[in-house]
Short mmCIF file of all heavy atoms in Angstrom, two decimals:
data_model
loop_
_atom_site.label_atom_id
_atom_site.label_comp_id
_atom_site.label_asym_id
_atom_site.label_seq_id
_atom_site.Cartn_x
_atom_site.Cartn_y
_atom_site.Cartn_z
N VAL J 1 -103.92 -114.51 -114.18
CA VAL J 1 -103.69 -113.37 -113.53
C VAL J 1 -102.20 -113.10 -113.40
O VAL J 1 -101.33 -114.05 -113.64
CB VAL J 1 -104.18 -113.38 -111.97
CG1 VAL J 1 -105.74 -113.48 -111.92
CG2 VAL J 1 -103.70 -114.57 -111.17
N CYS J 2 -101.79 -111.70 -113.22
CA CYS J 2 -100.48 -111.38 -113.22
C CYS J 2 -100.35 -110.10 -112.40
O CYS J 2 -101.30 -109.65 -111.92
CB CYS J 2 -100.00 -111.14 -114.72
SG CYS J 2 -100.81 -109.85 -115.47
N PRO J 3 -99.12 -109.58 -112.21
CA PRO J 3 -99.04 -108.36 -111.42
C PRO J 3 -99.83 -107.13 -112.04
O PRO J 3 -100.41 -106.35 -111.09
CB PRO J 3 -97.54 -107.95 -111.39
CG PRO J 3 -96.88 -109.47 -111.57
CD PRO J 3 -97.85 -110.16 -112.57
N ASP J 4 -99.96 -107.11 -113.22
CA ASP J 4 -100.91 -105.89 -113.82
C ASP J 4 -102.18 -106.20 -113.72
O ASP J 4 -103.05 -105.20 -113.60
CB ASP J 4 -100.34 -105.64 -115.22
CG ASP J 4 -98.99 -105.09 -115.38
OD1 ASP J 4 -98.66 -104.34 -114.35
OD2 ASP J 4 -98.34 -105.16 -116.39
N TYR J 5 -102.64 -107.46 -113.86
CA TYR J 5 -104.12 -107.74 -113.75
C TYR J 5 -104.14 -108.99 -112.74
O TYR J 5 -104.25 -110.19 -113.15
CB TYR J 5 -104.64 -108.28 -115.13
CG TYR J 5 -104.35 -107.09 -116.17
CD1 TYR J 5 -103.34 -107.13 -116.98
CD2 TYR J 5 -105.40 -106.11 -116.31
CE1 TYR J 5 -103.14 -106.11 -117.97
CE2 TYR J 5 -105.21 -105.08 -117.24
CZ TYR J 5 -104.08 -105.07 -118.05
OH TYR J 5 -103.97 -104.03 -119.00
N PRO J 6 -104.28 -108.68 -111.47
CA PRO J 6 -104.03 -109.71 -110.50
C PRO J 6 -105.24 -110.45 -110.04
O PRO J 6 -105.23 -111.24 -109.05
CB PRO J 6 -103.40 -108.84 -109.30
CG PRO J 6 -104.13 -107.54 -109.40
CD PRO J 6 -104.22 -107.32 -110.94
N VAL J 7 -106.48 -110.11 -110.51
CA VAL J 7 -107.67 -110.59 -110.10
C VAL J 7 -108.45 -111.44 -111.14
O VAL J 7 -108.49 -110.90 -112.30
CB VAL J 7 -108.60 -109.61 -109.40
CG1 VAL J 7 -109.91 -110.10 -108.84
CG2 VAL J 7 -107.82 -108.83 -108.32
N TYR J 8 -109.11 -112.49 -110.87
CA TYR J 8 -110.00 -113.04 -111.84
C TYR J 8 -111.35 -112.31 -111.85
O TYR J 8 -111.92 -112.01 -110.84
CB TYR J 8 -110.33 -114.62 -111.46
CG TYR J 8 -108.98 -115.45 -111.57
CD1 TYR J 8 -108.39 -116.08 -110.46
CD2 TYR J 8 -108.50 -115.82 -112.76
CE1 TYR J 8 -107.38 -116.81 -110.52
CE2 TYR J 8 -107.45 -116.66 -112.76
CZ TYR J 8 -106.81 -117.21 -111.68
OH TYR J 8 -105.76 -117.99 -111.84
N LEU J 9 -111.91 -112.25 -113.05
CA LEU J 9 -113.38 -111.77 -113.24
C LEU J 9 -114.21 -112.94 -113.70
O LEU J 9 -113.76 -113.63 -114.66
CB LEU J 9 -113.41 -110.57 -114.27
CG LEU J 9 -114.76 -110.25 -114.77
CD1 LEU J 9 -115.48 -109.57 -113.71
CD2 LEU J 9 -114.64 -109.39 -116.00
N THR J 10 -115.35 -113.05 -113.24
CA THR J 10 -116.34 -113.89 -113.76
C THR J 10 -117.68 -113.21 -113.86
O THR J 10 -117.89 -112.13 -113.13
CB THR J 10 -116.53 -115.20 -112.88
OG1 THR J 10 -117.42 -116.12 -113.57
CG2 THR J 10 -117.10 -114.89 -111.56
N THR J 11 -118.57 -113.64 -114.72
CA THR J 11 -119.77 -112.81 -114.97
C THR J 11 -120.99 -113.86 -114.94
O THR J 11 -120.94 -115.00 -114.87
CB THR J 11 -119.82 -112.15 -116.35
OG1 THR J 11 -119.65 -113.25 -117.36
CG2 THR J 11 -118.47 -111.39 -116.63
N GLY J 12 -122.18 -113.16 -114.87
CA GLY J 12 -123.32 -113.95 -114.86
C GLY J 12 -124.62 -113.04 -114.86
O GLY J 12 -124.67 -111.86 -115.21
N ARG J 13 -125.73 -113.63 -114.34
CA ARG J 13 -127.00 -113.05 -114.36
C ARG J 13 -127.52 -112.74 -113.01
O ARG J 13 -126.91 -113.28 -112.09
CB ARG J 13 -128.07 -113.87 -115.16
CG ARG J 13 -127.97 -113.88 -116.58
CD ARG J 13 -128.62 -115.00 -117.35
NE ARG J 13 -130.07 -115.08 -116.83
CZ ARG J 13 -130.96 -116.03 -117.29
NH1 ARG J 13 -130.52 -116.98 -118.04
NH2 ARG J 13 -132.11 -115.99 -116.89
N VAL J 14 -128.49 -111.83 -112.83
CA VAL J 14 -129.21 -111.60 -111.59
C VAL J 14 -130.62 -111.83 -111.77
O VAL J 14 -131.17 -111.92 -112.94
CB VAL J 14 -128.98 -110.12 -111.08
CG1 VAL J 14 -127.53 -109.89 -110.79
CG2 VAL J 14 -129.56 -109.11 -112.15
N LEU J 15 -131.37 -112.01 -110.66
CA LEU J 15 -132.68 -112.47 -110.69
C LEU J 15 -133.69 -111.59 -111.48
O LEU J 15 -134.44 -112.18 -112.35
CB LEU J 15 -133.28 -112.61 -109.18
CG LEU J 15 -134.71 -112.97 -109.10
CD1 LEU J 15 -135.05 -114.35 -109.63
CD2 LEU J 15 -135.04 -112.83 -107.51
N ALA J 16 -133.63 -110.26 -111.47
CA ALA J 16 -134.65 -109.56 -111.95
C ALA J 16 -134.29 -109.10 -113.39
O ALA J 16 -135.15 -108.34 -114.00
CB ALA J 16 -134.75 -108.25 -111.15
N GLN J 17 -133.22 -109.50 -113.98
CA GLN J 17 -132.82 -109.04 -115.39
C GLN J 17 -132.57 -110.22 -116.21
O GLN J 17 -132.42 -111.35 -115.64
CB GLN J 17 -131.62 -108.17 -115.34
CG GLN J 17 -131.78 -106.84 -114.62
CD GLN J 17 -132.78 -105.85 -115.17
OE1 GLN J 17 -133.05 -105.93 -116.27
NE2 GLN J 17 -133.26 -104.82 -114.39
N TYR J 18 -132.59 -110.03 -117.58
CA TYR J 18 -132.61 -111.13 -118.49
C TYR J 18 -131.56 -110.77 -119.64
O TYR J 18 -131.90 -109.66 -120.21
CB TYR J 18 -133.81 -111.55 -118.96
CG TYR J 18 -133.85 -112.80 -119.92
CD1 TYR J 18 -133.63 -113.97 -119.49
CD2 TYR J 18 -134.21 -112.61 -121.29
CE1 TYR J 18 -133.62 -115.09 -120.32
CE2 TYR J 18 -134.07 -113.62 -122.11
CZ TYR J 18 -133.89 -114.95 -121.58
OH TYR J 18 -133.85 -116.10 -122.42
N GLN J 19 -130.59 -111.64 -119.87
CA GLN J 19 -129.74 -111.42 -121.02
C GLN J 19 -129.19 -110.11 -121.12
O GLN J 19 -128.69 -109.43 -120.27
CB GLN J 19 -130.39 -111.90 -122.37
CG GLN J 19 -130.82 -113.34 -122.30
CD GLN J 19 -129.80 -114.27 -122.04
OE1 GLN J 19 -129.39 -114.66 -121.01
NE2 GLN J 19 -129.43 -114.96 -123.13
N SER J 20 -129.34 -109.33 -122.44
CA SER J 20 -128.67 -108.05 -122.51
C SER J 20 -129.51 -106.95 -121.84
O SER J 20 -129.13 -105.79 -121.80
CB SER J 20 -128.51 -107.65 -123.98
OG SER J 20 -129.80 -107.35 -124.65
N GLY J 21 -130.70 -107.33 -121.28
CA GLY J 21 -131.46 -106.31 -120.46
C GLY J 21 -132.40 -105.37 -121.38
O GLY J 21 -132.94 -104.57 -120.80
N ALA J 22 -132.29 -105.48 -122.67
CA ALA J 22 -133.03 -104.60 -123.50
C ALA J 22 -134.59 -104.56 -123.11
O ALA J 22 -135.16 -103.51 -123.33
CB ALA J 22 -132.81 -104.89 -125.03
N GLN J 23 -135.01 -105.70 -122.72
CA GLN J 23 -136.42 -105.81 -122.46
C GLN J 23 -136.51 -105.49 -120.91
O GLN J 23 -137.37 -104.57 -120.58
CB GLN J 23 -136.99 -107.23 -122.75
CG GLN J 23 -136.94 -107.53 -124.14
CD GLN J 23 -137.42 -108.99 -124.43
OE1 GLN J 23 -138.44 -109.40 -123.99
NE2 GLN J 23 -136.50 -109.66 -125.20
N THR J 24 -135.96 -106.20 -120.10
CA THR J 24 -136.22 -106.26 -118.66
C THR J 24 -135.82 -104.92 -118.01
O THR J 24 -136.30 -104.42 -117.01
CB THR J 24 -135.55 -107.43 -117.93
OG1 THR J 24 -134.17 -107.45 -118.28
CG2 THR J 24 -136.23 -108.69 -118.25
N ARG J 25 -134.81 -104.15 -118.56
CA ARG J 25 -134.39 -102.93 -118.06
C ARG J 25 -135.52 -101.87 -118.16
O ARG J 25 -135.53 -100.81 -117.43
CB ARG J 25 -133.12 -102.37 -118.65
CG ARG J 25 -131.85 -103.10 -118.07
CD ARG J 25 -130.52 -102.39 -118.66
NE ARG J 25 -130.14 -103.05 -119.82
CZ ARG J 25 -129.97 -102.47 -121.05
NH1 ARG J 25 -130.26 -101.15 -121.13
NH2 ARG J 25 -129.54 -103.00 -122.06
N ARG J 26 -136.39 -102.13 -119.07
CA ARG J 26 -137.44 -101.17 -119.32
C ARG J 26 -138.78 -101.56 -118.52
O ARG J 26 -139.75 -100.76 -118.54
CB ARG J 26 -137.90 -101.17 -120.86
CG ARG J 26 -136.83 -100.71 -121.75
CD ARG J 26 -137.12 -100.87 -123.15
NE ARG J 26 -136.43 -99.82 -123.99
CZ ARG J 26 -135.25 -100.03 -124.53
NH1 ARG J 26 -134.62 -101.21 -124.23
NH2 ARG J 26 -134.66 -99.08 -125.19
N ILE J 27 -138.79 -102.57 -117.70
CA ILE J 27 -139.92 -102.93 -116.83
C ILE J 27 -139.65 -102.42 -115.46
O ILE J 27 -138.76 -102.78 -114.84
CB ILE J 27 -140.14 -104.50 -116.90
CG1 ILE J 27 -140.47 -104.98 -118.33
CG2 ILE J 27 -141.16 -104.88 -115.92
CD1 ILE J 27 -140.52 -106.43 -118.50
N ALA J 28 -140.60 -101.49 -115.08
CA ALA J 28 -140.38 -100.72 -113.79
C ALA J 28 -140.16 -101.62 -112.58
O ALA J 28 -139.17 -101.37 -111.89
CB ALA J 28 -141.60 -99.78 -113.60
N PRO J 29 -140.94 -102.57 -112.36
CA PRO J 29 -140.62 -103.43 -111.15
C PRO J 29 -139.33 -104.15 -111.16
O PRO J 29 -138.75 -104.27 -110.15
CB PRO J 29 -141.77 -104.45 -111.09
CG PRO J 29 -142.90 -103.87 -111.98
CD PRO J 29 -142.24 -103.04 -112.98
N LEU J 30 -138.94 -104.50 -112.33
CA LEU J 30 -137.66 -105.17 -112.42
C LEU J 30 -136.50 -104.19 -112.40
O LEU J 30 -135.37 -104.53 -111.87
CB LEU J 30 -137.52 -105.95 -113.78
CG LEU J 30 -138.53 -106.96 -114.04
CD1 LEU J 30 -138.34 -107.70 -115.39
CD2 LEU J 30 -138.66 -108.01 -112.95
N HIS J 31 -136.71 -103.07 -112.88
CA HIS J 31 -135.73 -101.96 -112.73
C HIS J 31 -135.54 -101.63 -111.23
O HIS J 31 -134.44 -101.37 -110.86
CB HIS J 31 -136.08 -100.83 -113.56
CG HIS J 31 -135.06 -99.59 -113.38
ND1 HIS J 31 -133.91 -99.57 -113.92
CD2 HIS J 31 -135.26 -98.44 -112.77
CE1 HIS J 31 -133.24 -98.44 -113.63
NE2 HIS J 31 -134.12 -97.69 -112.87
N ARG J 32 -136.56 -101.52 -110.64
CA ARG J 32 -136.51 -101.18 -109.15
C ARG J 32 -135.72 -102.24 -108.37
O ARG J 32 -135.06 -101.97 -107.47
CB ARG J 32 -137.90 -100.92 -108.48
CG ARG J 32 -138.59 -99.63 -109.07
CD ARG J 32 -139.82 -99.35 -108.11
NE ARG J 32 -140.84 -100.33 -108.28
CZ ARG J 32 -141.78 -100.30 -109.12
NH1 ARG J 32 -141.95 -99.34 -110.04
NH2 ARG J 32 -142.69 -101.28 -109.25
N ALA J 33 -135.98 -103.37 -108.74
CA ALA J 33 -135.39 -104.57 -108.03
C ALA J 33 -133.87 -104.69 -108.35
O ALA J 33 -133.09 -105.05 -107.55
CB ALA J 33 -136.09 -105.95 -108.43
N ALA J 34 -133.50 -104.34 -109.53
CA ALA J 34 -132.08 -104.40 -109.96
C ALA J 34 -131.78 -103.19 -110.90
O ALA J 34 -131.82 -103.34 -112.13
CB ALA J 34 -131.78 -105.72 -110.69
#
């Protein structure tokens, strides 16, 4: 981090979605949950 970019970013997954979401984002109950 530095004055121009002062915060750390980390990433991960959520319960109702999987990987790039190409499949799970199309499933209605999973989309409603996340």
Side-chain angles (χ1 to χ4, degrees):
V1 294
C2 65
D4 289 335
Y5 302 97
V7 181
Y8 293 110
L9 167 73
T10 190
T11 67
R13 286 164 50 184
V14 297
L15 175 62
Q17 299 292 344
Y18 182 72
Q19 302 300 84
S20 74
Q23 299 174 49
T24 50
R25 282 186 271 120
R26 289 175 161 85
I27 296 175
L30 301 182
H31 175 73
R32 287 194 297 270

